[in-house]
Amino acid sequence: MGRVLVVDDEAAMRFALAELLREHGHEAVLAPGGHEALASLDRVDTVIVDYAMPEMDGLELLERIRQRDASIPVVMVTAHGSERLAVHAIQRGAYDYLHKPFEPDELARVIDRAVEASLLRREERRGRIERSVGKRVIAESASMRRLLADVERIARRDITVLVTGESGTGKEVIASLLHAQSPRANGSLVRFNCAALPGELAEAELFGHAKGAFTGASAQRSGFFARADGGTLVLDEVGELPLAIQAKLLRALQNGEIQPVGAGRTDRVDARVVACTNRDLEADASSGRFRSDLYFRLAVVVLRVPPLRERREDIPALARELCARYGERFGIGDVRLSERLVAELARRDWPGNVRELENAIARLVGLSDGGEIDLDRLEDARPAPEPRESETEGAGLSLREQVQAFERGLIVRALEEAHGNQVRAAQALRTSRATLIDKMRKYGLRRPSDRDDEDDDDT
């Protein structure tokens, strides 16, 4: 079964074709002309279009559809005796053609083949995407399918891209796809969090520094830009960059030149920049909080990642994928979500987007004993409520306690990402394994049976 868009300016023909399609198991979407068809394109697998239409004929619509998404098969309907026109349509990219009048079985055979081809192309595209980033990418919704098609097309063109979207929508995944599907895929993918460091340190980390440029600069060091030479530099939360650094970033984008801090020279770099932000940079540029010239340099192409509430069709597949992932990570084995639970998850808005859904699934799976998780366990997925001000008055943590809590959180996260491997966790934290073990003891993260001389794969 496929969703077939029928485009014809004659109402009687539209409804006749729709009835034929339904009899053969397909769902019909109707459009009286080219403009209406383009507005409905994201929701269909195949298009049947009549050639002779006012305003926009079938060939022009075919060209517009192929510009939007060349993977959608288009079947052209022509008048009897228009073989030359039919051949021209095939040369322009049509999947097949039908001559009026045509037999219902003939229509069914052509559409069945076109729908099958469309679904196969979609699976092939999804397979390429997943292989490029090493993880499954969920795109059941029309908005995500269109976004991934845009990513695939733009990735091949060496231009700067601005990825926008609310926190937790998966902007970093889109940035990874842009790199993996680009001619720079064999180069380095380097990420820099613009909000992670104060201005002076951010500048040195981004552009590098000379020996003695500031206190503690005991040696020359290359920056993130230089490390991305020949590859892609992803600037996370680019809207948080101080204005002074924005000027140097603009120069790097305009001229391909960077100046390390404290160095009296400029270096050439060849790095594609993908910037990500959850802020309205256009508004920030208008108000002076962000350089307008830099905004226009970054926003050569803007890709918006839709929030989860705008792509509810993706939630069931996302929830099941996350359930399987955390079931394997936690060593639970067979664990699954009931249909009632999945339906309720799909109804919720998830203001924290995919990140919030992932945390909810992780809590559900972590608290389960395996088997099917039903709707009555959904409250387990809710985070603990924030204490009211009256409850916390006079009970705030000291600076030392806050630092210890932050340090413990970093260690827990590193151990989770290393699947409990202490050597890899210590490497991620840039410390020794012995120091990590001491910290784990301090924060109660070691079991009584753990030994100092345990194997690398022990936790």
Side-chain angles (χ1 to χ4, degrees):
M1 179 177 176
R3 292 173 62 86
V4 182
L5 175 61
V6 178
V7 191
D8 199 303
D9 60 315
E10 295 183 11
M13 180 58 71
R14 288 199 304 274
F15 291 113
L17 286 171
E19 188 61 30
L20 284 172
L21 290 168
R22 293 188 186 105
E23 288 177 3
H24 287 85
H26 299 293
E27 180 181 352
V29 179
L30 307 183
H35 297 294
E36 295 84 355
L38 291 171
S40 303
L41 195 61
D42 290 337
R43 302 184 290 119
V44 301
D45 303 304
T46 301
V47 181
I48 302 176
V49 56
D50 186 37
Y51 169 73
M53 295 188 297
E55 296 186 10
M56 186 187 302
D57 66 26
L59 283 178
E60 183 182 353
L61 178 57
L62 168 64
E63 192 169 321
R64 298 275 292 274
I65 290 173
R66 288 188 60 76
Q67 288 173 354
R68 285 272 298 272
D69 189 346
S71 69
I72 298 177
V74 178
V75 177
M76 186 74 70
V77 177
T78 64
H80 181 69
S82 303
E83 284 79 7
R84 180 179 296 179
L85 178 62
V87 171
H88 188 45
I90 295 293
Q91 291 172 341
R92 299 278 287 274
Y95 176 80
D96 208 336
Y97 63 90
L98 293 167
H99 287 308
K100 292 181 182 179
F102 45 78
E103 295 295 326
D105 288 344
E106 180 187 9
L107 170 73
R109 285 194 298 271
V110 172
I111 296 305
D112 285 346
R113 290 199 305 269
V115 168
E116 183 178 4
S118 177
L119 297 178
L120 284 173
R121 289 173 185 174
R122 186 179 302 168
E123 287 302 313
E124 288 172 2
R125 175 189 290 173
R126 178 176 295 177
R128 289 197 306 271
I129 289 170
E130 291 173 357
R131 287 192 297 272
S132 67
V133 296
K135 64 189 297 186
R136 189 177 177 208
V137 178
I138 305 298
E140 302 294 331
S141 63
S143 59
M144 280 301 293
R145 291 205 305 269
R146 182 172 179 179
L147 174 61
L148 293 184
D150 287 342
V151 167
E152 187 174 17
R153 182 167 54 254
I154 293 164
R156 298 191 294 267
R157 298 160 187 170
D158 203 23
I159 52 179
T160 305
V161 180
L162 178 64
V163 183
T164 68
E166 298 176 6
S167 294
T169 50
K171 297 185 291 295
E172 69 285 349
V173 175
I174 298 302
S176 297
L177 291 173
L178 286 167
H179 172 74
Q181 298 179 82
S182 75
R184 296 174 176 267
N186 291 329
S188 299
L189 174 63
V190 180
R191 296 182 180 276
F192 179 75
N193 188 340
C194 300
L197 297 170
E200 298 80 2
L201 290 178
E203 181 179 5
E205 287 293 309
L206 189 56
F207 301 106
H209 61 77
K211 180 179 179 180
F214 50 83
T215 303
S218 57
Q220 176 181 318
R221 184 176 180 183
S222 61
F224 281 74
F225 244 111
R227 293 175 219 169
D229 193 27
T232 304
L233 174 62
V234 179
L235 299 176
D236 290 319
E237 303 306 335
V238 69
E240 305 300 326
L241 272 180
L243 285 169
I245 303 179
Q246 291 178 28
K248 296 191 71 171
L249 175 57
L250 178 62
R251 178 179 180 177
L253 293 174
Q254 287 178 327
N255 306 324
E257 295 179 346
I258 60 171
Q259 183 174 12
V261 176
R265 69 178 196 282
T266 58
D267 298 332
R268 297 287 300 177
V269 290
D270 174 27
R272 182 189 194 178
V273 171
V274 176
C276 303
T277 184
N278 59 11
R279 295 175 58 161
D280 185 345
L281 278 196
E282 187 173 10
D284 286 352
S286 298
S287 65
R289 290 191 297 271
F290 195 85
R291 290 183 64 116
S292 58
D293 48 3
L294 177 58
Y295 168 73
F296 290 116
R297 280 286 176 179
L298 292 173
V300 177
V301 171
V302 179
L303 295 176
R304 176 181 176 267
V305 186
L308 206 50
R309 63 183 175 275
E310 293 181 10
R311 43 181 290 222
R312 294 181 187 275
E313 304 96 318
D314 293 332
I315 293 178
L318 269 171
R320 293 188 179 100
E321 171 70 14
L322 291 167
C323 179
R325 185 185 305 171
Y326 280 99
E328 181 180 357
R329 179 178 297 183
F330 297 156
I332 295 176
D334 177 37
V335 59
R336 58 196 178 280
L337 308 176
S338 73
E339 291 301 321
R340 291 196 312 158
L341 176 54
V342 169
E344 177 58 29
L345 293 174
R347 278 193 288 269
R348 301 198 171 188
D349 279 344
W350 303 105
N353 295 296
V354 178
R355 187 177 298 137
E356 181 184 0
L357 175 64
E358 180 173 0
N359 290 341
I361 298 298
R363 283 191 290 271
L364 278 171
V365 174
L367 293 170
S368 77
D369 297 318
E372 185 174 81
I373 305 175
D374 205 357
L375 184 59
D376 60 349
R377 301 298 303 273
L378 186 55
E379 289 305 306
D380 294 343
R382 295 174 62 87
E386 293 291 331
R388 295 188 298 272
E389 186 176 345
S390 59
E391 295 174 344
T392 60
E393 191 172 350
L397 296 176
S398 68
L399 175 61
R400 181 179 179 183
E401 290 170 327
Q402 292 182 58
V403 170
Q404 290 177 342
F406 179 71
E407 186 177 53
R408 187 183 191 279
L410 290 177
I411 294 172
V412 169
R413 182 182 303 174
L415 287 167
E416 287 179 352
E417 292 178 351
H419 303 293
N421 187 299
Q422 294 174 358
V423 171
R424 290 201 298 269
Q427 290 171 344
L429 293 169
R430 298 185 182 180
T431 189
S432 67
R433 182 164 173 257
T435 299
L436 175 63
I437 290 172
D438 288 340
K439 295 288 186 183
M440 290 171 65
R441 283 202 191 97
K442 176 181 178 180
Y443 297 124
L445 299 175
R446 286 169 59 80
R447 300 187 303 269
S449 59
D450 285 347
R451 305 187 312 274
D452 290 344
D453 58 347
E454 62 199 318
D455 293 335
D456 288 346
D457 289 333
D458 289 348
T459 58

